[in-house]
Amino acid sequence: MSDVKTRNRPAALLLTPSAEARIAELMAKAPEDAIGVKLSTPRRGCSGLAYSVDYVTEAKPFDERIDTPGGTLFVDGGSILYLIGSTMNWAEDDFAAGFVFQNPNAKGECGCGESFTV
């Protein structure tokens, strides 16, 4: 037996308590076959990449899995490099509600905040 010690790998993405609460709300009303919600960064918008959160029915082999008290967040394996070190928050005010990201990898974003570039 070796004395090799391993440490837990930190999550690629940090979630605020309000983001975790929103995932719990989404999972409470999720379709029956949903196993979690998935964050991806499809090509779209005026800056190139956008944040997208959708229900997911199966885990892909390269997806990052982040377990939260209210459900599982999967991060698309092809998007993870754009998101490492980011913080995911849920924000609401009188006019808008949505997930908001603090992404240290983003080099810029469009004026409306819907897309970003790396």
Side-chain angles (χ1 to χ4, degrees):
M1 185 181 252
S2 70
D3 289 331
V4 175
K5 293 183 180 175
T6 59
R7 63 182 175 93
N8 289 335
R9 182 171 55 115
L13 183 76
L14 300 174
L15 283 82
T16 65
S18 62
E20 289 182 349
R22 180 60 182 164
I23 290 171
E25 290 172 13
L26 289 169
M27 291 309 299
K29 58 184 177 184
E32 193 172 303
D33 60 344
I35 62 168
V37 293
K38 185 173 185 174
L39 171 62
S40 60
T41 56
R43 296 204 173 280
R44 134 176 121 215
C46 43
S47 288
L49 297 170
Y51 300 105
S52 178
V53 180
D54 300 290
Y55 288 113
V56 64
T57 58
E58 65 177 320
K60 303 285 184 189
F62 294 104
D63 287 350
E64 181 84 12
R65 179 187 176 121
I66 301 172
D67 293 311
T68 74
T72 303
L73 172 69
F74 293 91
V75 182
D76 176 65
S79 300
I80 198 71
L81 290 176
Y82 306 129
L83 299 168
I84 290 175
S86 295
T87 299
M88 181 176 178
N89 187 27
W90 177 258
E92 292 183 47
D93 63 25
D94 290 341
F95 302 103
F99 286 109
V100 179
F101 298 87
Q102 291 178 338
N103 185 343
N105 307 296
K107 302 290 186 241
E109 60 182 37
C110 65
C112 63
E114 293 293 319
S115 62
F116 68 101
T117 185
V118 289

